Amino acid sequence: MSQSNPLPLIARAPVIPVVVIERLEDAVPLARALVEGGLPLIEVTLRTPVALRAMSLIAAEVEGAIVGAGTVTDRSQIEAVVEAGATYIVTPGTTPALAQALAEAPVPVLPGCATASEAMALDALGFKVLKFFPAEPSGGAPFLKGLAGPLPALRFCPTGGIGPSNAPDYLALPNVVAVGGSWVVPGDAIKAGNFDKVRELSAAAAKLPRAAKFD
């Protein structure tokens, strides 16, 4: 297993924006607004035809941006996102075949899980920082609080159904490194080119306190 520890990377900010880029021309100004707001980690999801090119532009043109690839579901996508400039990889869930491929990835990975059994299986493979998805439908903050006892070595980045009202509940848990969310990148603001709104939301999110300590 050659995977590197994603904890120092994920710990850079309390919120990781989960971004769906529909228009390539939005990539750079959107990323700049996020970085200027204090959220340097940017998870670009592989949900649109321009996602890979958007990653490349952000990596090349936005100083301070730490671009990652989200919605990675297949081994074949790993090489493509790394070539596009992704410095970390996030999956919504993790099959055994995908876990094997992620273990050999040249960048840090955040494999997805939704149950205690899935978390234990990933732990056994050496993955210690996991994405918990979809967080709210899968038990939310109480679920992760319950996992802290039997699985104390694991850390999580919950994503799915998280916004400014419940993000503090997750960040108050010692086993939560950061939360993923799309509330800082509202689709209507991006469509309108209102990147000041993105910057404003990001600045507020960057100030959210968290209980986790990173020594």
Side-chain angles (χ1 to χ4, degrees):
M1 179 171 293
S2 63
Q3 61 165 309
S4 54
N5 180 16
L7 186 57
L9 192 66
I10 303 304
R12 292 283 295 272
V15 178
I16 299 177
V18 180
V19 179
V20 179
I21 297 178
E22 302 282 354
R23 302 179 304 195
L24 192 59
E25 59 267 29
D26 293 330
V28 168
L30 175 61
R32 282 184 178 145
L34 290 168
V35 172
E36 290 167 1
L39 301 181
L41 276 80
I42 302 169
E43 179 187 331
V44 178
T45 60
L46 296 183
R47 301 181 191 177
T48 67
V50 301
L52 288 174
R53 286 184 290 163
M55 287 180 210
S56 296
L57 281 177
I58 293 170
E61 298 186 21
V62 183
E63 184 177 357
I66 305 170
V67 65
T71 323
V72 173
T73 58
D74 184 79
R75 174 189 290 269
S76 64
Q77 296 172 317
I78 295 175
E79 183 178 356
V81 300
V82 172
E83 287 183 354
T87 55
Y88 63 97
I89 292 171
V90 186
T91 75
T94 317
T95 64
L98 183 56
Q100 181 181 5
L102 292 172
E104 300 166 358
V107 296
V109 300
L110 201 61
C113 69
T115 68
S117 294
E118 292 172 1
M120 290 169 64
L122 289 168
D123 184 15
L125 293 172
F127 297 99
K128 302 300 182 184
V129 186
L130 311 176
K131 175 177 179 175
F132 175 50
F133 177 83
E136 282 292 287
S138 299
F143 177 85
L144 288 180
K145 183 178 181 180
L147 282 189
L151 302 175
L154 294 182
R155 297 293 179 265
F156 295 91
C157 178
T159 305
I162 299 178
S165 62
N166 60 358
D169 297 333
Y170 288 93
L171 292 169
L173 301 175
N175 59 345
V176 169
V177 183
V179 300
S182 58
W183 83 87
V184 295
V185 284
D188 56 348
I190 297 173
K191 187 175 182 179
N194 186 2
F195 299 110
D196 287 339
K197 180 65 174 179
V198 173
R199 190 178 296 104
E200 174 188 333
L201 292 170
S202 300
K207 296 175 183 176
L208 289 172
R210 51 185 166 181
K213 305 298 181 184
F214 313 103
D215 300 324

